[in-house]
Amino acid sequence: MCGITGYYALQETSFEALSKVKQSTDKLFLRGPDCGNVEIAPPVALGHRRLSIIDTSHAADQPMHDSSGRYVIVFNGEIYNYKELSEKHLSSLWARIGKPATHSDTEVLLYLLIEYGEQCLEWLSGFFAFAFYDKEKKELLLARDRYGKKPLLYFADDKGIAFSSEMKSILEWGIPKEINFTTLHQYFQLNYIPQPQSIFKGVQKLQPAHYMRITEAGIVDYKHYYQLTIHPEAYTRYSYEQAKTLLIEKMDAAVQRRMVSDVPLGAFLSGGIDSSVVVALARKYTQQLHTFSIGYANHPFFDETQYAKAVADTYKTEHTVFSLSNDDFLEHIYQVLDYIDEPFADSSSLPVYILSQQTKKHITVALSGDGGDEVFAGYNKHGAEWKIRQQSLINQLVKAGYPLWNALPKGRNNKITNLFRQLHRFAEGAQLPAKERYWRWASINKAATVDTFFVNEVLAQVDYTQLGEHKQSILKEIKSDDFNEVLLTDMNLVLTGDMLVKVDMMSMANSLEVRSPFLDNDVVDFAFSLPVQYKIDATLKKKIVQEAFRDQLPEAIFNRPKHGFEIPLLDWFKKELWGVINDDLLQTDFIKRQRIFNPIAIEMLKKQLHSNSPGDSVATIWALIVFQHWWKKYMD
């Protein structure tokens, strides 16, 4: 796990930009505190920060060259099957040039690219972003893993092409900082920026499962090497019992692949099904497994540590619980906000940051359950979508109750107001067609509501045609009654834009590598060959996962309400953080001077926060806090 950066100068007059490689690389220090090196080979400069995981010797440092010196690579990630690929595809090469100089996956990838080019990308099992340069041809290849676990941003103009793992690093290449207000509008709908866009005009994210080829002519190729698709023709291939057996085998293999490490390894354990499955399987491959969970000292509604402890006791792991108070959040908020280098408002970033920080004191690699909900239908919205598609009498009653749910107090901070919030969203969604329902449930705010947040000068810079086109592009997979289309859309939107961004950013802020067995490509492809009835029904979400592993896990963790990784923001905002909100970041005079937000709308949000029906105002205020802190740091 590392950080990469680089620049391809398209004009000789741009060669002076190559000297910025060190300062761009230095911005990635936390992604790779073990080593940092750069190389300038006009017209290209490459930089690398290393977090040593496999082959921790300096021989495996980067930028890494082949034996001839013609080729060079900077690589971020892990290739789990690198030994098998080396034996299968490079054995004759090793016989010809001698044994590899390292025991690293980077060197294997380097020679695979030399021998096979982009063809080898589809063979890779793992997660990555890399830049591979051929000095003779002056050709640069950038590529990103199948599901977008590792980030890679780029900026292109007629002077050159800059790329990096993080925005704060790519800005060091001197690119213009011009806010994309169309993207900002979508940020306040979703609370994150959907890929491939970014907050700045001209800065894009290389899309998952894509590669880009750059020559002296500029970007000459932008192609996908893999495409996640639904396989309806395979829905009858396995009986349910066969599918359960296969899932156990594939998850077991995925976990075993991710146990390879030359540094201490453990696992996050939330008490949910997914992380519990990972721990149960990982325990088979180590004599002692460290597990870590996070809880809330004064908020039992959000605390799930008792379920994590039940799993830890079952598998006799060395378990550590971090119990957080509001003071803990206040202590860490600015560390989190300072690391966020473009607006990103998933509030569970805070506990993920603290969990990563504490976990790093014990280990360097953590397994997680990320991806299980998107792949196997584990979110509450999946249960709601399934119910709506059944067209039952109770659905009609809930839908008819919309005026009542609309009037009742709604919020996320206790069972009653959260129930009213869910009933309201269900009734609202039930009145919409499938695509619009998905978008409503994926959003915090409606587009029309977001319009009210901005002053007219900002709204004039929002390209509503582009907004609509991007929305339809996101929703293009939802076209029939196949429920897997909803899950595929989650993979392309929620997983890549929110969940994976959060985990990568907060773990890398603490120099911790996180591996996700549920996102093993063999597991994911298998999951999208299964019919929906294997994944969800009237009583169970993530049905096949729960029933395949039921005899391996404590009964207490099954069939309980799903919280996700939510945190008790409302109390915190009303008390400890109110001064920061009211007197600083959302202070009325500051809002007026800034000339981005409508002061009246912001005041209404603050009042709603203190009402008996805060609804999603808490999430929106958090999105505002994140943006305002970012704006002061990068734009003020």
Side-chain angles (χ1 to χ4, degrees):
M1 194 77 82
C2 309
I4 65 172
T5 185
Y7 190 84
Y8 194 123
L10 297 177
Q11 303 173 7
E12 281 195 27
T13 54
S14 304
F15 280 13
E16 62 183 30
L18 303 179
S19 63
K20 297 175 182 176
V21 64
K22 186 178 185 307
Q23 63 201 63
S24 179
T25 304
D26 288 345
K27 287 293 183 179
L28 300 171
F29 176 82
L30 291 175
R31 296 187 78 91
D34 296 330
C35 183
N37 291 311
V38 303
E39 174 162 342
I40 299 177
V44 166
L46 299 172
H48 187 266
R49 290 294 325 183
R50 186 181 183 203
L51 179 63
S52 303
I53 303 292
I54 295 176
D55 190 346
T56 59
S57 73
H58 285 298
D61 288 347
Q62 301 176 44
M64 181 180 286
H65 302 80
D66 74 313
S67 57
S68 73
R70 172 178 169 178
Y71 303 96
V72 59
I73 190 171
V74 286
F75 170 72
N76 170 25
E78 304 287 353
I79 307 298
Y80 301 122
N81 61 336
Y82 73 100
K83 291 181 179 178
E84 296 93 323
L85 292 175
S86 178
E87 285 183 19
K88 183 176 181 180
H89 298 288
L90 297 177
S91 55
S92 60
L93 174 76
W94 304 136
R96 189 169 71 249
I97 69 170
K99 291 182 179 180
T102 72
H103 300 290
S104 71
D105 52 347
T106 306
E107 185 176 15
V108 171
L109 176 59
L110 172 62
Y111 280 100
L112 285 171
L113 289 164
I114 293 169
E115 295 293 304
Y116 300 97
E118 64 271 10
Q119 175 189 347
C120 74
L121 295 175
E122 62 189 74
W123 305 338
L124 306 180
S125 175
F127 57 102
F128 55 83
F130 68 78
F132 167 74
Y133 183 55
D134 180 339
K135 295 179 182 179
E136 188 174 298
K137 288 185 177 180
K138 295 185 179 179
E139 184 174 285
L140 182 70
L141 183 73
L142 304 179
R144 194 172 177 208
D145 65 70
R146 294 173 188 236
Y147 312 121
K149 277 208 74 180
K150 291 289 96 184
L152 190 59
L153 298 90
Y154 69 94
F155 172 86
D157 62 13
D158 58 353
K159 297 176 183 177
I161 297 154
F163 65 89
S164 184
S165 300
E166 294 185 357
M167 184 69 79
K168 61 178 71 70
S169 170
I170 202 171
L171 290 176
E172 292 296 320
W173 293 108
I175 67 175
K177 293 191 295 183
E178 186 178 355
I179 291 178
N180 184 332
F181 286 107
T182 304
T183 297
L184 185 63
H185 193 286
Q186 209 158 59
Y187 164 74
F188 280 105
Q189 289 183 57
L190 299 170
N191 270 24
Y192 57 89
I193 294 173
Q195 300 197 20
Q197 300 170 128
S198 86
I199 190 61
F200 290 123
K201 290 182 179 179
V203 179
Q204 297 280 302
K205 285 118 181 179
L206 183 63
Q207 295 189 67
H210 280 68
Y211 67 85
M212 176 191 293
R213 192 186 313 282
I214 303 165
T215 70
E216 292 172 300
I219 298 170
V220 295
D221 273 329
Y222 189 107
K223 296 179 179 178
H224 64 79
Y225 61 86
Y226 162 87
Q227 196 162 13
L228 178 60
T229 54
I230 299 167
H231 302 287
E233 74 283 355
Y235 286 175
T236 57
R237 183 178 298 167
Y238 310 112
S239 70
Y240 185 57
E241 291 304 314
Q242 289 172 327
K244 285 196 297 181
T245 301
L246 279 169
L247 175 61
I248 293 170
E249 291 174 0
K250 290 178 183 296
M251 279 300 300
D252 185 76
V255 169
Q256 187 178 10
R257 277 192 283 272
R258 285 158 180 76
M259 297 296 288
V260 177
S261 175
D262 292 332
V263 295
L265 179 148
F268 293 156
L269 182 55
S270 68
I273 297 293
D274 301 331
S275 64
S276 299
V277 166
V278 170
V279 166
L281 294 171
R283 188 65 179 84
K284 295 163 58 177
Y285 299 105
T286 181
Q287 291 184 338
Q288 181 59 61
L289 184 68
H290 292 263
T291 53
F292 306 89
S293 62
I294 203 162
Y296 304 102
N298 304 312
H299 296 275
F301 179 63
F302 294 93
D303 193 282
E304 300 185 312
T305 53
Q306 72 271 29
Y307 302 111
K309 186 178 184 303
V311 176
D313 289 345
T314 298
Y315 285 96
K316 297 180 172 57
T317 69
E318 191 167 321
H319 189 56
T320 304
V321 177
F322 311 114
S323 189
L324 305 181
S325 66
N326 284 3
D327 289 339
D328 292 311
F329 289 126
L330 198 61
E331 179 186 343
H332 291 91
I333 181 174
Y334 287 108
Q335 293 171 311
V336 172
L337 291 176
D338 280 341
Y339 198 80
I340 293 173
D341 54 13
E342 74 167 339
F344 178 80
D346 184 332
S347 61
S348 60
S349 295
L350 276 162
V352 172
Y353 178 91
I354 298 170
L355 179 62
S356 297
Q357 184 186 71
Q358 296 299 322
T359 298
K360 174 63 179 180
K361 295 176 182 178
H362 304 269
I363 60 173
T364 306
V365 177
L367 304 181
S368 83
D370 295 321
D373 287 322
E374 290 84 1
V375 174
F376 288 103
Y379 289 128
N380 287 332
K381 68 179 181 182
H382 295 147
E385 179 67 25
W386 189 91
K387 289 181 174 70
I388 281 178
R389 293 184 179 207
Q390 308 315 302
Q391 300 181 348
S392 67
L393 175 60
I394 192 167
N395 287 355
Q396 298 304 315
L397 292 173
V398 174
K399 181 179 176 181
Y402 178 80
L404 173 63
W405 317 132
N406 196 41
L408 289 169
K410 293 171 284 294
R412 294 175 180 265
N413 224 45
N414 64 63
K415 289 181 180 179
I416 300 300
T417 58
N418 194 46
L419 174 62
F420 293 156
R421 182 187 68 84
Q422 290 174 329
L423 288 168
H424 177 259
R425 283 177 73 85
F426 183 94
E428 186 179 38
Q431 302 175 55
L432 299 171
K435 284 188 176 185
E436 290 302 318
R437 179 167 60 246
Y438 178 91
W439 188 254
R440 181 67 194 103
W441 286 351
S443 302
I444 299 295
N445 292 298
K446 299 176 184 177
T449 302
V450 174
D451 280 347
T452 68
F453 296 165
F454 296 113
V455 296
N456 289 334
E457 295 92 325
V458 167
L459 290 176
Q461 298 180 65
V462 175
D463 186 333
Y464 287 94
T465 300
Q466 187 183 87
L467 266 182
E469 289 173 351
H470 189 222
K471 174 183 169 182
Q472 291 309 311
S473 175
I474 290 168
L475 300 174
K476 68 180 184 298
E477 299 295 345
I478 302 176
K479 51 200 174 192
S480 73
D481 60 356
D482 189 337
F483 199 95
N484 275 317
E485 294 171 354
V486 172
L487 304 182
L488 181 56
T489 306
D490 273 348
M491 293 287 289
N492 294 333
L493 173 66
V494 181
L495 187 75
T496 61
D498 184 357
M499 301 306 171
L500 293 181
V501 173
K502 170 183 63 184
V503 173
D504 176 80
M505 186 163 44
M506 295 298 100
S507 61
M508 286 289 89
N510 293 285
S511 308
L512 178 75
E513 175 174 305
V514 178
R515 300 175 177 178
S516 309
F518 275 97
L519 292 177
D520 184 274
N521 55 284
D522 196 28
V523 172
V524 173
D525 286 337
F526 171 69
F528 279 91
S529 73
L530 299 178
V532 63
Q533 61 266 29
Y534 288 10
K535 300 179 182 181
I536 189 168
D537 63 18
T539 58
L540 282 179
K541 299 187 294 291
K542 246 171 345 197
K543 177 181 176 181
I544 191 170
V545 179
Q546 293 204 46
E547 295 192 339
F549 291 95
R550 183 173 289 276
D551 62 352
Q552 299 184 43
L553 298 172
E555 185 60 31
I557 74 168
F558 294 96
N559 300 319
R560 61 186 181 81
K562 181 178 179 60
H563 264 306
F565 212 17
E566 293 188 36
I567 61 174
L569 281 178
L570 181 61
D571 287 348
W572 188 36
F573 282 0
K574 286 181 173 181
K575 299 171 186 174
E576 289 89 347
L577 207 63
W578 181 242
V580 175
I581 294 170
N582 199 50
D583 303 329
D584 181 13
L585 297 177
L586 299 185
Q587 199 265 346
T588 302
D589 287 343
F590 171 52
I591 293 289
K592 289 178 179 178
R593 289 195 306 272
Q594 192 183 20
R595 298 189 62 78
I596 293 177
F597 300 109
N598 175 1
I600 297 173
I602 303 305
E603 283 303 307
M604 289 177 63
L605 278 168
K606 290 194 285 187
K607 286 179 181 178
Q608 187 182 355
L609 186 72
H610 289 275
S611 73
N612 68 347
S613 183
D616 283 322
S617 65
V618 180
T620 301
I621 285 177
W622 177 248
L624 284 162
I625 289 172
V626 170
F627 177 82
Q628 294 293 75
H629 185 90
W630 173 87
W631 189 87
K632 282 189 170 186
K633 183 173 181 178
Y634 287 94
M635 304 301 295
D636 196 0

